[in-house]
Structures are given as C-alpha cells and as structure tokens.
Amino acid sequence: MKNFISRLFPPISGEIETIAELERRYRHFFRGLTILLLALVLIPLIFISFLSYTQYKKMLEEEEVGRLLLNVEQAENTVELFVVKLHSVINFAAHEDRYQELLQPGGLHRLFVRLRNAFPDFTDIEVIGPDGRSAAREGGESSPAHNYTGQPWYQQTLRKGSYISNIFTGFRGAPHFVVAVARPLPNGGHWVMRVNIDGKTLQRYIDTVGATAVDDLFLVDQNGILQTKPKRYGARGEKCIFPPGRPLSGRSAGEVQRQRRAVGGEFQIDIQVAGGKEVLRAARPVGRTPWRLVMVKEVYSYGHKWLSFRNRLLLSFLCCAVVAVLIIVVISRAITSHIRNSDRKRQQFLSEAENSNKLASIGRLAAGVAHEINNPLAIINQKAGLMADLMEITGDFEHKKAMAEALSGIDNSVERCRAITHRLLGFARHTDVRSEEIDINELLQNVTAFVEKEASYSQVEIISHFADGLPALVSDQGQLQQVFLNILNNAVDAIGTDGRITITTAREDAAHLRIEIADTGCGMSAETLARLFEPFYTTKPVGKGTGLGMSISYGIIKKLGGRIKVSSTEGEGTCFTFVLPLKNGENQAG
Amino acid sequence: MKILIIDDEKEFAGTLCQRLQLRGYEVAEAYSGAEGIEELGRFLPQLVLLDLKMPDMSGLDLLKAIRDSWPAVRTVMLTGHGSGRAAEEALRLGAEKCLMKPVELAELLALIEENAEDGGE
C-alpha cells in the first residue's frame, strides 16, 4: 500500500528536470490520483447497488413463491371439490337398494338420462354384479359382458368402497377416466357402479382455474404421466418433462416451510430451467384422487415491478457514478495543477538562488583577478613613467618622438585597464551602505536631468508619472543614483533615435516602493535577458561598454534589500521594475 | 624631504623610488614590514608610502607601529585592493590618504607637496 502510494506521487528531487519529464510525471500523478479516488468512491457504490439488487430480487422471489403456493392451494381445493361433487353424485345414484331397480329394463337408462342432464360429460354407466360380471350398461358402445374380477381397479373398489382412475384413452379412442363405487347387497357381497367421464371435463376445469395469473397448470398421475394438456410443457398422456429441479434457497425455502405447516398439505416446490427461462414449479397431490396438481410460473413474471426497480437502480447508479467521476476529475486536476504551480515556484526560487550565487562568485573572482592585475599594472605604469622622465632629461636622439608616443600609448592603455579594475573592485566591494532619507521622485528628477540633454539630441522623450505623497526612502542616495543613471543611459542607447522613456513611481505595499522605467527601444532577446546581470556580458561594441553596468546595478539593489524585475520584448521595448524597501534592507540581504 | 617606500613589490618600489629621486626627493625603500621598521629608525623619513598588504606584516599593523613610535611621521597608504573597509580603517588609524594602484604620479606628487608644506609649517 505504502509502495503503491509512493509510486503514485512524483518523487521530490532538487534537480531541475526537463519540462517534458515533469509533464509526464504530472500526468502520471493525475492518472494515479484519479484512479485511486474513483476506486474509493465506485467500489462501495457498486457494492451497495449489488446488495440492493440481490435483496430486492430475493424479496420479489419470496413474494412470488408465497403467491404461487396460495394459487396451488386454491387450484387443488377447486379440483378436489369437483371430484368430491362427482363422487357424491355417483354415491347418491348408486343407492344401496337400487341394485335390483337398475337391473330392470330401462332402469339404468332413466338414471343415465337424469345424470346426463346434470353432467353432460358422463359418457357411460355400468352396473357390475357381485360376481364381477357386467350386469347392465348404458351409453357408449355395447360390448360383451366383461368379467372384471381379476382387474386391479375392481379389487381396489371393493376394498376401499370407491375408486378414481387415471385418464386413459381405452378402446373407444377418447380420453376419459373412471369413477367407481361399491355397494353392499342385503344378501351379502357387493355390487359396483362404474361411470366413465369424458377427460374434457377435467381439462375444462383446469383451464378455468389456470386462467388466473399462472403460466401453466396441469395434472399428472403417480408416474408423472400428464393427465390434462399443459399449455406449453408437453401433451396429455406424455411423461411430464420436469426433472427434479434446484430447491429454493434461504428465506424462500423458509416461506415454503411456513406454508406447508399452515395448510398441512404436502408441497413440492423447486426452480426449473425451461426454454432458457427460470420457472417456479409447485406440485401438490389432489385429495381423494391419484393425481398431482402441477403449477408452473415464470420467475419474475411481475415484470414491470422488477424492471422499473432495476431501471431506477441503474439510473441512480449511473448518475452517482457520472457525478463522482466529474468531481474526482476536477479535484484531481486542481490538486495536480496546485502541485505543478508550487513545483514551478520552487524551481524558480532555485534558479534565482543559483543565479545570485553565480553572480556572487563571478564577482569575487573578478575582484581577485582585478587585485592581482593591479600590482603588475602599477609596475608597468611606473616603468613607463620612469622612461618618460628619463627621456625628458636626455637630449634629442633618433626616434625620440616615436618612443614618446609609444609611451603615451602605454599610459593610455594602463589608464583603461585601471578604469576596468577599479570598476570591478567597486562591484565586489562591501562598502557600508550609507543611510539617508531620500525623496525618490526628487532623486529620479536629478538623474533624469543628467541624460535629458543627450536624450533630446536623439528625439527621446522622457515622461515621468510620479505618485504624490510617497514616504521618504531610507537608503543610499549615491548608489541609487548610479543604478538609475545606468538604466536610463541603457534606455537611451536602446532607443537610438525617436522614442519614449516612461518613469513611474508608486507604492508597492506598506513597506515597499515601486519604480518602473520603461523604454520603447530595441528590447532584448531571451538569451540576453537570461544573461543580463552577468558581469562582462555586453551587447555593445568592443570598447563601448564593460558589461559591468547591469551587474553592478544588480549588486547594489540586492545590497539595499530590493528586487529588480525585467520584462522585455524584442523590437518593442524593455521595462525594469524596482521594488525597494522603505528602510534599506541591508540586514535582510546579509 | 625624506620619503620611505615600503612595498613587497620590488620593481614597483624601485621604479617609484627612482622617479621621486629624479624629482629631487631623498628616497629610501624597504621590501617588508621588518625592513620597513629598521629603515624607519635609520633613515628617519618625514613621509612613508606604505603598501596595505605585505607577506610578513599587514600594512595596518605597521601603520599602528609608526603611529606609536614615530608620531610625527606621515603615512600615505597604497593598495591594489578595492577593500574599502581596510582603507577606512587606515584613515581611522591616522593615515593621510589611501591611494589605489596604479597610482598617477601627478596625484602622488601633489600629495607629497601638500604634506611637505604642512610639515614645513
């Protein structure tokens, strides 16, 4: 983690790197910070969204399971009620003492007609005697009298008193099922009434019940053979296609248990995958019959409820994410640019410190050189002087005039060297700063007077914008004069002919004054600007300038605790801005 | 007028000595602080031209010695250095003037004459 964070932030180094390298670092930092913040915001957001997604889904599922169970319960009750009704009708028809009456010719026919009025789906009716043989039959096609003794349904009827069969097609080719009841005879033994009922009855019933909000509803027998025709899961008479499915989990399962206890029935509920969709399947045996009721319902079939929740969730997630991304990008950008700015300031400070350090060491070097040169220069000066002295007291000789001229040439050169070394020493000299109260406007006026004449020859106009009521400056008058004179001379030189110099004084803040000297001269190139304060750097022709003026000015202003700022555009002009402390800053400057 | 030149640059001291002698002054020279003190006692000059920096002794120390032992002797400092502080210190210790090398002879002569007049009074 620590490693990650330290990799994220650009390393702090004192070296001045290339701009491209720095930019690459800032981009890297911006990217890293953005990713970190995004992760911090988006991960919890995703987690919470996912949680509410699954919670809501589970809740809907529970609700759905509950409803399905209720539906199954109702459907089962309805089917059971129908079967009970059939039973009681047949029970009533097969009244105990009716056996003989039904065997009378037309007896069974009358009963059958009455029954068909109430239940048109009764296809035929048969009375079976105690010997297990068909005694009378009505409806359907007549068939030879069967002996049913060995048939399982007959035995079951005798054993239990009643029987309901599965639906079968039989030799008549129409699906039907059988309801049979056994009745005791007064002289011992049982007779049986067997009624065939058309399978369509059951189908109609199931269709009516299944028309409610379920996808499919059908009956199967013990072996899973379909008894009614499902809407989509197979055809009647086929084996039901559902294999054992995935059981319900968690709270849905708990819901099933609760329901099971409440209705006391035997439930089966699981999740199936059919046709690529998840469906809920619930099954329950129908009372007094060999059938099971199966109900199938698509999971989340309450579509719009779930869909609208999902859309709202997605929308709010996206909104939050977009807002978070925007804010994070803005914040990261702000932090990066803040760091970039402070780095830039630091670099600027470093290069300024480096510059003034360079200037100071050049100054010391220059002073050392000047001192070393002064001694031999003094000797040359004296020797040449001696030669001149000696020549004066000697009579005429050949080339005397030429030699005198040579000597005066030496003298002149020594004088030039002396001027240079003296200036150099002046540049490095740590003379004490004299402190006196100065009216800066008056001082500038005096200095301007020096250059005004020369300026007017070259059509250079000098304009002064002096602020009124400036406080007195405690500083070194002579040195300030030297600085401003130097700057004004340079300005006049830079203009050549026809131009304007503007001198402005103002208050910088409570403790500083600002003096601006702007000219409309030739300006400086970036290279000149960079080397402006270096000693011996000059753009003037050889012999015209020593290249010391600006470096001396710089040294003086520093010593007085002030600052110089230069801005220059080639071909447009240069502006020097001086900021001077009201009390000279020898102490701060050191 | 007796002038003593104390400077470790022999060529400079010698040539200046010669030039002053040509102008009729009585001049002696010394090339170190110790020699200078010896010569001061022997030659008894009225004016000393003293270098600020010498290998064995600083010009300021010698200036103090002169002030203590020969208070009547006047001193003019010569220096190749731009150090204003040393010059100010010399003036404070009683030097007449501080001149920076290379020195114009005319300037030096004017100074000598000035002191000769003062001494004469």
Side-chain angles (χ1 to χ4, degrees), chain A residues 374 381 383 389 418 429 432, chain B residues 11 19 23 80 82 102-103:
Chain A
N374 266 348
N381 185 30
K383 293 285 183 198
D389 288 353
R418 198 168 81 122
R429 186 161 45 202
D432 288 331
Chain B
E11 286 282 357
R19 292 186 79 188
R23 281 162 177 77
V103 190

Side-chain angles (χ1 to χ4, degrees), chain B residues 37-111:
Chain B
I37 287 172
E38 198 182 305
E39 203 64 25
L40 268 163
R42 199 176 53 74
F43 182 63
L44 298 171
Q46 284 141 312
L47 182 72
V48 175
L49 299 179
L50 178 59
D51 192 5
L52 249 180
K53 251 189 172 173
M54 279 174 298
D56 63 336
M57 190 187 279
S58 99
L60 289 178
D61 292 339
L62 193 51
L63 180 62
K64 273 182 223 164
I66 294 170
R67 196 188 56 182
D68 294 344
S69 310
W70 298 277
V73 175
R74 305 195 170 200
T75 314
V76 171
M77 305 302 292
L78 296 177
T79 173
H81 227 260
S83 170
R85 243 166 236 169
E88 272 173 33
E89 180 69 10
L91 292 178
R92 205 179 56 75
L93 287 172
E96 294 300 319
K97 185 92 185 188
C98 216
L99 292 178
M100 199 158 160
K101 287 183 187 176
V103 190
E104 276 301 313
L105 191 71
E107 197 182 347
L108 191 60
L109 286 175
L111 206 61

Side-chain angles (χ1 to χ4, degrees), chain A residues 452 454-462 491-492 495-501:
Chain A
E452 229 157 25
E454 200 196 329
S456 69
Y457 291 146
S458 330
Q459 282 89 50
V460 174
E461 192 187 357
I462 301 181
V492 171
I495 291 169
T497 52
D498 201 8
R500 199 169 60 248
I501 299 173

Side-chain angles (χ1 to χ4, degrees), chain A residues 174-239:
Chain A
H176 63 276
F177 65 98
V178 170
V179 177
V181 290
R183 288 291 174 199
L185 286 169
N187 50 356
H190 287 80
W191 67 280
V192 170
M193 178 179 272
R194 175 177 186 266
V195 181
N196 279 338
I197 303 163
D198 194 334
K200 278 185 271 179
T201 326
L202 207 54
Q203 184 70 50
R204 259 205 314 275
Y205 236 88
I206 290 296
D207 287 350
T208 320
V209 176
T212 51
V214 282
D215 294 317
D216 218 340
L217 179 71
F218 49 87
L219 293 173
V220 297
D221 68 5
Q222 301 98 311
N223 299 318
I225 304 295
L226 286 161
Q227 299 295 296
T228 60
K229 188 184 174 312
K231 283 182 203 148
R232 60 181 90 155
Y233 301 101
R236 193 174 46 76
E238 282 177 359
K239 181 107 178 155

